[in-house]
């Protein structure tokens, strides 16, 4: 693939002039743009790998790392499609002559529409958590995304079935993919509808009181996208031959991927850089911020579920037990105070957890029974030994985690020592 002025490229320019077009040849400026954007996506790839490797780090996990990794892949597909449609490379003799496969399926469906739907899914998740007090998963969460995917698939099938002259076709004389205005209008109308939906959702969550300004992040993302989308829409209809003009095609592609990278780093930049350079300090700040604002439930952050050290961070709970936002409480949980420590009213979502997704009754009963027996054991121990009354009854380690081998350790078949104390106190055995 050459970026120099070859005889074949000179003949292409002359042929375009005979047809009434002023065609700028593909040159080293196009190559420089490709190298720069590819280098940026290479840096993004390193960031995505680091993000997935540290996906259990709570500040990163609260940003949905898998969703953002999928968004990165969609942006790369968009870039590959732009190289073809915007005329930055020669198409003849390569797979890029398949204008429908690359231009419609890779660039539009897997690229533009997919990354738009993933950002919309994140906005909808914030709306569910902070406005509807619903969990950040489940059929209700993914259903709009699935409906959008079905509509996008139907759009792609229809475009594939229609004649290339109606959708997009390869023009061998000029070595470009040409798209009629009607299909451009349908395409950009679909993209505008997607981002208007995202804007509406962001408008509805504009007043939410989250700890880390997620609504502001999404508003900034919408601004970036609407600037790029407006420029592209005007250019598509004001100058349909923009791939022939070098400055226009370079500006168009560069603006597209500047916007996508700004969106991605606006969402992930803060926790990702802090995880790299000040991991422990930022984690402590993150926990303190949630406790101060009273959003432990929304972010599903419980201090006993995380173990953090200066060397590593591990989660005691499994991946399924630590999601972006809490699903809800369970029957019999403690009542959350209506006022925060600073005297401000606690958000409604923190006071009234959703009852649709409870922990299983069996697991809760097992946990409650174990807690009750442990407290009873500690109380009897204190009464029998005359321990001080200021012992914190809730500072309890799980009995099975004891490592002492002294003679006072209860037998393994009686971990709570009921038999010994029942005999001493002449009390009936615990059920």
């Amino acid at each position: 693939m050459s970026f120099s002025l070859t005889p074949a490229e000179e003949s292409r320019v002359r042929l375009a002039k005979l047809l009434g077009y002023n065609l700028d040849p593909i040159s080293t400026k196009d190559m420089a743009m490709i190298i720069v954007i590819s280098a940026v996506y290479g840096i993004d790839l390193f960031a995505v790998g680091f993000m997935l490797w540290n996906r259990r780090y709570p500040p990163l996990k609260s940003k949905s790392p898998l969703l953002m990794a999928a968004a990165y892949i969609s942006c790369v597909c968009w870039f590959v499609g732009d190289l073809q449609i915007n005329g930055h490379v020669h198409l003849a003799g390569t797979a890029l002559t398949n204008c429908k496969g690359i231009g419609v399926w890779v660039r539009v469906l897997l690229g533009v529409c997919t990354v738009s739907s993933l950002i919309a899914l994140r906005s909808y998740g914030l709306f569910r958590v902070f406005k509807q007090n619903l969990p950040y998963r489940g059929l209700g969460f993914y259903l709009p995304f699935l409906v959008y995917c079905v509509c996008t698939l139907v759009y792609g099938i229809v475009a594939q079935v229609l004649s290339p002259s109606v959708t997009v076709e390869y023009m061998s004389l000029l070595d470009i993919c040409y798209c009629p205005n009607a299909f451009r209008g349908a395409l950009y109308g679909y993209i505008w509808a997607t981002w208007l939906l995202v804007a509406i959702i962001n408008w509805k969550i504009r007043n939410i009181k989250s700890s880390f300004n997620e609504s502001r992040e999404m508003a900034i993302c919408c601004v970036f996208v609407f600037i790029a989308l407006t420029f592209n829409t005007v250019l598509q209809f004001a100058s349909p031959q923009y791939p022939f003009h070098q400055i226009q095609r370079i500006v168009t592609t560069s603006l597209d991927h500047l916007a996508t990278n700004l969106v991605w780093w606006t969402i992930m930049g803060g926790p990702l850089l802090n995880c790299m350079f000040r991991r422990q300090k930022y984690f402590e700040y993150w926990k303190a911020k949630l406790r101060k604002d009273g959003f432990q439930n929304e972010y599903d952050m419980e201090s006993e579920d995380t173990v953090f050290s200066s060397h590593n961070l591990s989660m005691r709970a499994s991946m399924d037990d630590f999601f972006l936002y809490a699903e809800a409480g369970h029957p019999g949980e403690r009542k959350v105070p209506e006022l925060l420590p600073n005297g401000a009213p606690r958000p409604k979502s923190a006071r009234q957890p959703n009852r649709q997704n409870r922990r299983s009754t069996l697991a809760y009963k097992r946990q409650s029974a174990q807690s009750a027996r442990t407290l009873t054991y500690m109380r009897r121990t204190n009464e029998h030994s005359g321990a001080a009354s200021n012992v914190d009854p809730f500072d309890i380690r799980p009995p099975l985690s004891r490592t002492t081998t002294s003679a006072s350790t209860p037998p393994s078949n009686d971990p709570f020592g009921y038999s010994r104390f029942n005999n001493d106190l002449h009390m009936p055995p615990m059920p």
Side-chain angles (χ1 to χ4, degrees):
M1 186 174 294
S2 175
F3 291 94
S4 60
L5 189 60
T6 61
E9 185 68 7
E10 290 179 351
S11 64
R12 189 172 77 101
V13 173
R14 288 195 298 266
L15 182 58
K17 191 172 183 179
L18 292 176
L19 296 175
Y21 301 109
N22 293 321
L23 175 62
D24 294 334
I26 297 173
S27 68
T28 54
K29 293 181 181 179
D30 295 279
M31 181 179 65
M33 184 216 68
I34 294 173
I35 292 174
V36 170
I37 298 180
S38 299
V40 171
Y41 277 117
I43 296 173
D44 294 344
L45 179 61
F46 169 77
V48 170
F50 182 85
M51 175 189 68
L52 294 178
W53 183 262
N54 296 275
R55 63 188 179 275
R56 291 179 179 271
Y57 183 62
L60 282 179
K61 192 157 189 176
S62 68
K63 298 294 184 179
S64 304
L66 295 180
L67 184 147
M68 297 307 298
Y72 166 79
I73 296 174
S74 298
C75 291
V76 173
C77 293
W78 186 351
F79 176 56
V80 172
D82 274 352
L83 296 181
Q84 179 205 54
I85 295 297
N86 293 344
H88 295 290
V89 295
H90 296 288
L91 309 182
T94 67
L96 296 176
T97 55
N98 185 357
C99 294
K100 282 188 178 182
I102 305 297
V104 176
W105 286 94
V106 175
R107 178 178 183 260
V108 177
L109 303 185
L110 295 179
V112 181
C113 292
T114 301
V115 70
S116 301
S117 63
L118 292 173
I119 300 300
L121 181 64
R122 175 170 173 78
S123 298
Y124 179 63
L126 297 174
F127 175 73
R128 278 175 60 88
V129 170
F130 289 99
K131 282 293 186 180
Q132 296 183 330
N133 192 29
L134 296 174
Y136 196 81
R137 65 171 182 171
L139 180 60
F141 173 61
Y142 289 107
L143 184 60
F145 177 72
L146 296 177
V147 171
Y148 182 85
C149 290
V150 171
C151 295
T152 303
L153 182 61
V154 171
Y155 181 92
I157 293 174
V158 172
Q160 189 69 33
V161 172
L162 293 176
S163 172
S165 60
V166 178
T167 55
V168 57
E169 64 177 336
Y170 175 66
M171 301 178 65
S172 58
L173 293 178
L174 299 178
D175 194 27
I176 64 167
C177 290
Y178 175 73
C179 180
N181 285 337
F183 188 73
R184 293 177 194 232
L187 170 62
Y188 277 85
Y190 190 61
I191 297 174
W192 271 102
T194 302
W195 278 98
L196 287 175
L197 179 62
V198 177
I200 292 173
I201 296 175
N202 286 330
W203 178 258
K204 289 182 175 293
I205 65 174
R206 67 190 184 279
N207 293 324
I208 65 173
K209 295 180 179 180
S210 59
S211 287
F212 301 100
N213 298 317
E214 281 87 354
S215 61
R216 186 182 303 172
E217 286 180 357
M218 300 310 299
I220 294 173
C221 293
C222 283
V223 171
F224 292 147
V225 171
F226 279 119
I227 291 174
L229 191 56
T230 300
F231 177 83
N232 273 274
T233 304
V234 172
L235 185 65
Q236 290 285 336
F237 295 97
S239 179
Q241 294 84 25
Y242 75 93
F244 295 164
H245 306 289
Q246 188 176 66
I247 295 178
Q248 291 182 3
R249 66 181 181 240
I250 289 178
V251 170
T252 301
T253 303
S254 300
L255 186 60
D256 286 347
H257 299 283
L258 175 64
T260 56
N261 276 273
L262 287 175
V263 168
W264 198 90
W265 283 98
T266 297
I267 296 174
M268 297 302 306
L272 192 62
L273 294 175
N274 279 289
C275 180
M276 289 181 180
F277 301 111
R278 49 193 300 266
R279 185 183 181 99
Q280 183 175 3
K281 290 183 179 179
Y282 184 71
F283 178 66
E284 297 298 333
Y285 162 79
W286 189 82
K287 291 194 300 182
K289 179 69 172 172
L290 292 186
R291 291 195 182 97
K292 179 180 177 182
D293 295 342
F295 286 108
Q296 297 96 322
N297 287 344
E298 281 76 0
Y299 288 85
D300 195 20
M301 192 279 292
E302 294 293 342
S303 59
E304 66 268 20
D305 290 336
T306 59
V307 180
F308 187 83
S309 67
S310 58
H311 300 287
N312 58 16
L313 175 82
S314 61
M315 302 297 298
R316 288 183 182 176
S318 64
M319 286 283 289
D320 295 335
D321 295 331
F322 190 93
F323 285 89
L324 170 60
Y325 300 106
E327 299 180 14
H330 47 73
E333 68 177 352
R334 64 181 179 84
K335 182 179 179 181
V336 180
E338 296 187 0
L339 295 180
L340 299 175
N342 58 10
R346 186 178 295 274
K348 182 179 179 181
S349 59
R351 299 196 307 265
Q352 300 178 1
N354 176 30
R355 294 181 179 274
Q356 295 180 1
N357 294 278
R358 304 294 191 183
R359 293 181 179 179
S360 66
T361 304
L362 180 60
Y364 170 68
K365 288 183 176 180
R366 187 185 301 114
Q367 180 182 4
S368 300
Q370 180 179 353
S371 300
R373 291 179 178 178
T374 306
L375 291 176
T376 302
Y377 166 69
M378 293 298 297
R379 184 171 59 251
R380 290 178 176 177
T381 302
N382 293 336
E383 292 175 355
H384 183 73
S385 60
S389 60
N390 59 354
V391 175
D392 185 3
F394 296 97
D395 187 13
I396 304 169
R397 294 180 178 270
L400 296 179
S401 66
R402 298 175 181 176
T403 58
T404 179
T405 58
S406 62
S408 60
T409 303
S412 59
N413 59 354
D414 185 17
F416 299 103
Y418 295 138
S419 59
R420 177 166 57 87
F421 289 103
N422 290 339
N423 294 334
D424 293 343
L425 300 177
H426 304 287
M427 297 182 64
M430 292 293 291

